[in-house]
């Protein structure tokens, strides 16, 4: 069994709790976050923290080439609801780019 797991948005509230549960369940967690809305201190110290963006295609490709993930938990997002409404023209393309980056992987 491959026990490597990628968690995007790992430094946020939900992502950090998912990391905690995965680490406690025995998974080798790779925690990806650009710290635009979370804090590195939130990430379980047993996880491998990568400071980077899900929109960085080269970084994501490198992670997938280096690790054979059993699961991916895509939790990266901009969580400020008011900002999401005001800046929808910016935030929606970022979310779509991030999701398509993961979907385009071989």
């Amino acid at each position: 069994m491959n026990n490597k797991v990628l968690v995007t948005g790992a430094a946020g509230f939900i992502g950090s709790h998912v990391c905690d549960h995965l680490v406690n369940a025995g998974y080798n967690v790779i925690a990806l976050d650009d710290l635009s809305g979370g804090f590195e201190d939130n990430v379980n110290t047993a996880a491998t923290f990568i400071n980077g963006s899900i929109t960085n295609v080269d970084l994501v490709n490198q992670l997938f080439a280096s690790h054979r993930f059993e699961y991916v938990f895509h939790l990266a997002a901009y969580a400020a609801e008011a900002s999401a409404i005001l800046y929808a023209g910016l935030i929606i393309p970022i979310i779509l780019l991030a999701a398509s980056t993961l979907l385009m992987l071989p």
Side-chain angles (χ1 to χ4, degrees), residues 6 30-35 48-53 59 63 67:
L6 174 64
I30 307 300
L32 177 64
D33 202 296
D34 67 4
L35 302 177
T48 302
F49 178 71
I50 307 292
N51 186 347
S53 174
L59 173 61
L63 288 173
H67 307 279

Side-chain angles (χ1 to χ4, degrees), residues 25-103:
Y27 286 94
N28 180 359
V29 177
I30 307 300
L32 177 64
D33 202 296
D34 67 4
L35 302 177
S36 62
F39 302 95
E40 187 173 349
D41 288 345
N42 291 346
V43 180
N44 190 305
T45 57
T48 302
F49 178 71
I50 307 292
N51 186 347
S53 174
I54 188 70
T55 63
N56 182 335
V57 176
D58 292 334
L59 173 61
V60 172
N61 284 336
Q62 179 185 8
L63 288 173
F64 274 83
S66 304
H67 307 279
R68 293 186 50 104
F69 296 115
E70 185 174 0
Y71 301 106
V72 174
F73 293 83
H74 177 37
L75 303 170
Y78 288 100
E81 293 84 4
S83 295
I85 293 168
L86 292 173
Y87 301 108
L90 172 66
I91 293 173
I92 291 172
I94 291 172
I95 293 168
L96 292 175
L97 175 61
S100 66
T101 299
L102 290 174
L103 292 173

Side-chain angles (χ1 to χ4, degrees), residues 10-11 20 47 106:
D20 289 341

